Amino acid sequence: MKHTAERTSSGADDRPTTARLRAALRDTRPLVMGILNVTPDSFSDGGRFTSLDRALRHAERMAAEGADIIDVGGESTRPGAQAVSEAEELERVIPVIEAIRRELAVPVSIDTSKAGVMCEAVAAGADMINDVRALREAGALAAAREAGVPVCLMHMRGEPRTMQQAPDYTDVCGEVMSFLRERVDACLAAGMAREDLVIDPGFGFGKTLAHNLALFQALPAFSRMGLAVLVGVSRKSMLGTILDRPADERLHGSLALAALAVRAGVRILRVHDVAATVDVVRVCMALQAAEACATPKESQGEQA
Ligand code: 7PM
């Protein structure tokens, strides 16, 4: 791997949590990324101290449940959400990242699209950047390159405030794939390492249920692009529509999709329910190990 002066100066290469994350990304076991929202709507009991404390307790719990990564987000990207200022986003996420880094050994990703937040978050201890805008904002590509950490590039059509107003594609899988290919090429051209790039079709981000289902069906093809694939479907509205259930009753549907995603070659599951998803991954791994044993014998049998 190439180490530029900027990269080494960020210190991210030397951090044990970043090394641990990189090793896990190169492993075959799917990783569980626990969601930690630090938007006021998720921890809305007033004082900053209380919300910091609650966020840390939640991170602790997810780490104990076996989360491989904690995804810290301070910008609500929920459909219809308004934009958040950089100062506000920093005020929300930096104390949480510092506290997790102080108290836990779990790798942290920063869910942001802003170059300034990427820099500050990685300086505060974040080990990965998760960008729903795939480094398209001003300065984000350069900031991510200089941060020197793995990056998740997600596809989103439009902006959160309006993205669910009649999303339209002629070939949703082809269009999402060529978008991601273009963003991967931009990262490679900027000097980032291919092994550090993760791609994500962006379920629910400017997509109808039919689009989401087509993308989910195409996950094996995304996996064949040769980069780690991340999937975020936990409690999302596609499950609400299929099941006709509110967000707090979508666990079973989320777990069904988690298992199917692993079977389709997905490497990272971004979820709310860490303990349950870790069990799903363990069951899938047991099945995979059994297949690895069975396959040679079966093919021998076929040859005989
Ligand atoms: C309301 C609706 C609040 C949806 C939050 C959300 C993804 C992500 C989100 C994803 C990656 C959520 C979403 N979703 N980052 N951030 N992939 N990489 O369910 O699918 O958390 S926000």
Side-chain angles (χ1 to χ4, degrees):
M1 201 203 307
K2 234 170 61 189
H3 287 252
T4 63
E6 294 90 336
R7 259 193 198 167
T8 10
S9 69
S10 78
D13 283 325
D14 307 315
R15 266 204 299 266
T17 46
T18 311
R20 180 171 153 183
L21 173 65
R22 281 204 167 93
L25 274 172
R26 279 148 193 66
D27 192 25
T28 53
R29 182 178 64 85
L31 307 180
V32 176
M33 172 187 269
I35 301 169
L36 186 61
N37 283 318
V38 288
T39 50
D41 28 301
S42 51
F43 290 101
S44 60
D45 51 357
R48 294 275 174 204
F49 182 76
T50 316
S51 55
L52 173 60
D53 199 54
R54 286 187 58 169
L56 185 60
R57 296 288 88 79
H58 190 198
E60 234 162 42
R61 180 181 160 180
M62 291 195 289
E65 289 176 348
D68 297 288
I69 311 165
I70 305 280
D71 189 41
V72 177
E75 184 210 13
S76 180
T77 39
R78 125 187 1 261
Q82 296 292 326
V84 174
S85 79
E86 178 166 320
E88 176 65 29
E89 213 180 309
L90 285 170
E91 210 181 312
R92 290 175 185 177
V93 299
I94 300 300
V96 174
I97 294 168
E98 287 172 344
I100 294 174
R101 191 42 68 250
R102 215 166 32 235
E103 304 202 11
L104 303 169
V106 65
V108 167
S109 75
I110 172 68
D111 187 343
T112 191
S113 296
K114 297 186 181 74
V117 178
M118 290 173 189
C119 294
E120 300 260 335
V122 173
D127 305 285
M128 178 173 176
I129 294 166
N130 172 26
D131 184 3
V132 300
R133 292 178 186 78
L135 306 180
R136 284 177 294 160
E137 294 282 280
L141 189 59
R145 183 186 63 85
E146 300 204 356
V149 295
V151 178
C152 177
L153 305 164
M154 197 196 81
H155 175 271
M156 170 165 65
R157 169 68 57 89
E159 275 294 308
R161 201 170 52 78
T162 51
M163 66 188 176
Q164 291 305 107
Q165 293 168 12
D168 183 41
Y169 302 81
T170 30
D171 164 18
V172 66
C173 299
E175 288 168 52
V176 171
M177 261 184 216
S178 40
F179 169 84
L180 291 175
R181 215 172 276 124
E182 185 270 320
R183 295 315 297 154
V184 167
D185 288 345
C187 290
L188 296 176
M192 295 166 69
R194 192 176 174 84
E195 307 81 57
D196 274 352
L197 302 178
V198 175
I199 52 171
D200 179 349
F203 290 95
F205 287 86
K207 283 124 189 157
T208 63
L209 174 61
H211 296 141
N212 289 319
L213 292 173
L215 287 167
F216 202 94
Q217 286 285 346
L219 284 174
F222 281 93
S223 298
R224 285 194 296 270
M225 285 173 70
L227 297 145
V229 176
L230 183 152
V231 157
V233 287
S234 178
R235 301 185 191 174
K236 276 191 181 167
S237 73
M238 62 184 287
L239 288 163
T241 310
I242 295 169
L243 301 170
D244 190 23
R245 292 188 198 281
D248 64 347
E249 292 174 18
R250 296 176 192 165
L251 172 61
H252 304 161
S254 300
L255 297 178
L257 291 184
L260 292 164
V262 171
R263 297 299 287 171
V266 165
R267 299 295 323 287
I268 308 178
L269 302 167
R270 183 181 177 278
V271 303
H272 300 87
D273 304 284
V274 170
T277 308
V278 167
D279 275 3
V280 166
V281 169
R282 290 171 63 192
V283 169
C284 291
M285 292 308 284
L287 190 56
Q288 195 177 297
E291 281 168 356
C293 297
T295 310
K297 274 185 201 150
E298 275 164 18
S299 37
Q300 274 167 23
E302 277 159 23
Q303 280 160 14

